[in-house]
């Protein structure tokens, strides 16, 4: 006979029971009987209590049935899923400093024409970049040093006479570069000149030795004067500026054309000759270089007397104005 105290185990409303039968209820195997009388949320009949429960429907689906915009909810309903828009990648602090530094070079002609205010701004940006140097031991990262670097700015006064040659009429300094071969420990400094008839270059070859995590010792041993190369097309300007005054070349075009043809013939003859090499053996052939900032596209180095050099890797987007 079932005990009445067992009823306390179910959360049912109070019920007055006047008589209980002593005959136990019988059920067929795996069957459930639900009586016809309902009290609150529970069903009762002769010691049988079945609590009403919420029903759930579970259905297996394929990935194709769920679109990117909707997913199946807990009750079979489609739930919209908001797609998170990709946010543009914010430039890092180093990227912002590099762009500001390169922008400050505009109009300075690699430092030759920089004003004192511009130089102060450049020094401040360089100092900030050096403090965030991602390569604290550049000489231990020779793979980054390897390759051709284009000079973008310098405070080295020894280069200013060379840069000033670009102010001569019809002649300009096309490029100043430094090529490092980290496997053979060699350096080549090169200056390219461009004129109306031809281009040529002057280079120096050197060996370098690692002296510290940031410093290398450079010893120049050879100079090379490149063979002039005839330009593909020669265009004579109508006027040139010299010492602040414009000179009209129109009256001299006939004479210039004649000279040009003669010069072209001479250049063609010279172009067939090998470059001129000469040895460098004086005591000024050695110098040291301290790399204070280095990444995949920008290098900042300091040389003798505190001079600074900012170089950009060939192919870098920083070279694009």
């Amino acid at each position: 006979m079932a005990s009445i105290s067992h009823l306390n185990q179910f959360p049912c409303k109070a019920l007055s029971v006047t008589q209980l039968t002593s005959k136990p209820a019988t059920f067929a195997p795996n069957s459930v009987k639900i009586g016809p009388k309902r009290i609150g949320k529970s069903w009762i009949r002769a010691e049988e209590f079945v609590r009403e429960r919420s029903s759930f429907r579970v259905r297996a689906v394929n990935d194709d049935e769920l679109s990117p915009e909707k997913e199946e909810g807990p009750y079979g309903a489609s739930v919209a899923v908001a797609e998170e828009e990709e946010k543009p990648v914010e430039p890092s602090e180093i990227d912002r400093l590099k762009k500001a530094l390169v922008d400050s070079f505009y109009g300075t002609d690699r430092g030759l024409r920089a004003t004192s205010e511009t130089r102060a701004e450049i020094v401040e940006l360089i100092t900030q970049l050096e403090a965030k140097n991602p390569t604290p031991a550049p000489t231990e990262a020779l793979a980054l040093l390897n390759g051709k670097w284009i000079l973008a700015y310098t405070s080295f006064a020894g280069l200013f006479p060379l840069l000033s040659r670009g102010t001569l009429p019809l002649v300009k300094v096309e490029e100043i570069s430094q090529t490092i071969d980290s496997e053979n420990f060699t350096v080549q400094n090169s200056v390219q000149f461009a004129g109306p008839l031809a281009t040529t270059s002057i280079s120096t070859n050197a060996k370098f030795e690692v002296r510290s995590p940031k410093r290398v010792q450079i010893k120049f041993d050879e100079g090379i004067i490149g063979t002039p190369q005839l330009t593909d097309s020669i265009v004579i300007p109508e006027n040139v500026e010299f010492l602040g005054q414009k000179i009209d070349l129109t009256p001299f075009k006939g004479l210039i054309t004649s000279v040009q043809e003669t010069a072209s013939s001479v250049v063609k003859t010279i172009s067939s000759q090998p470059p001129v090499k000469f040895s460098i053996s004086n005591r000024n052939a050695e110098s040291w270089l301290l790399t204070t900032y280095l990444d995949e596209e920008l290098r900042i180095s300091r040389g003798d007397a505190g001079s600074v050099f900012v170089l950009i890797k060939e192919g870098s987007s920083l070279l694009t104005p």
Side-chain angles (χ1 to χ4, degrees):
M1 179 175 178
S3 171
I4 297 178
S5 64
H6 290 171
L7 299 177
N8 295 330
Q9 299 176 7
F10 299 90
C12 302
K13 290 187 177 181
L15 177 67
S16 175
V17 180
T18 56
Q19 183 178 1
L20 295 175
T21 176
S22 61
K23 184 179 178 180
T26 60
F27 302 93
N30 301 324
S31 66
V32 178
K33 290 185 178 182
I34 302 178
K37 188 173 182 181
R38 184 179 183 183
I39 301 177
K41 291 187 177 181
S42 300
W43 296 84
I44 179 171
R45 179 180 180 181
E47 299 176 302
E48 298 167 34
F49 298 89
V50 181
R51 183 170 181 176
E52 182 180 25
R53 296 181 180 180
S54 299
S55 62
F56 295 87
R57 179 179 296 173
V58 180
R59 182 171 63 92
V61 297
N62 296 325
D63 293 341
D64 295 339
E65 296 184 54
L66 297 177
S67 65
E69 293 80 13
K70 294 182 179 181
E71 292 184 359
E72 194 75 10
Y75 298 98
S78 295
V79 179
V81 178
E83 290 187 356
E84 184 179 354
E85 295 184 0
E86 291 186 3
K87 297 181 179 179
V89 179
E90 293 291 333
S92 65
E93 179 65 18
I94 288 181
D95 290 334
R96 286 193 290 267
L97 287 172
K98 288 196 297 187
K99 186 178 185 307
L101 178 63
V102 174
D103 289 346
S104 68
F105 299 155
Y106 180 77
T108 65
D109 194 11
R110 304 179 185 86
L112 176 66
R113 302 178 185 276
T115 63
S116 57
E117 292 82 3
T118 302
R119 290 186 185 279
E121 178 187 352
I122 290 172
V123 168
E124 175 61 28
L125 291 169
I126 286 174
T127 303
Q128 292 183 49
L129 276 170
E130 288 175 332
K132 298 179 181 295
N133 182 16
T135 314
T139 59
E140 296 176 7
L142 293 179
L144 283 179
L145 282 171
N146 201 51
K148 183 177 180 180
W149 297 85
I150 311 300
L151 180 70
Y153 174 86
T154 184
S155 64
F156 180 47
L159 271 181
F160 290 162
L162 180 63
L163 293 175
S164 65
R165 293 179 184 274
T167 62
L168 296 175
L170 306 180
V171 178
K172 68 175 182 177
V173 177
E174 187 100 320
E175 180 184 272
I176 300 176
S177 64
Q178 184 177 74
T179 303
I180 298 176
D181 183 348
S182 59
E183 292 184 359
N184 297 310
F185 292 88
T186 62
V187 177
Q188 183 182 71
N189 295 336
S190 180
V191 181
Q192 291 185 359
F193 296 96
L197 301 176
T199 61
T200 189
S201 64
I202 299 176
S203 305
T204 55
N205 293 334
K207 292 279 188 179
F208 72 87
E209 296 178 0
V210 175
R211 294 295 177 88
S212 77
K214 291 185 177 181
R215 178 173 169 172
V216 296
Q217 191 74 19
I218 300 175
K219 183 178 181 180
F220 297 95
D221 53 23
E222 184 183 55
I224 302 173
I225 300 176
T227 302
Q229 300 297 315
L230 192 65
T231 56
D232 295 332
S233 60
I234 301 172
V235 178
I236 299 175
E238 294 184 357
N239 57 70
V240 295
E241 186 173 342
F242 182 62
L243 299 178
Q245 294 185 353
K246 285 188 176 181
I247 301 175
D248 186 11
L249 298 180
T250 304
F252 306 99
K253 272 202 171 182
L255 177 61
I256 291 175
T257 301
S258 177
V259 172
Q260 173 185 318
E261 292 174 353
T262 303
S264 297
S265 177
V266 173
V267 169
K268 286 180 180 178
T269 303
I270 297 176
S271 297
S272 63
Q273 302 299 316
V276 178
K277 298 183 179 181
F278 56 94
S279 61
I280 302 174
S281 58
N282 58 49
R283 62 182 181 180
N284 295 324
E286 290 191 25
S287 66
W288 56 265
L289 205 62
L290 191 71
T291 300
T292 55
Y293 180 92
L294 177 66
D295 64 19
E296 295 82 358
E297 60 180 356
L298 185 72
R299 175 162 65 94
I300 300 174
S301 297
R302 294 184 179 271
D304 302 345
S307 55
V308 65
F309 302 86
V310 180
L311 302 103
I312 301 173
K313 196 72 164 286
E314 183 181 40
S316 169
S317 60
L318 292 176
L319 290 172
T320 306

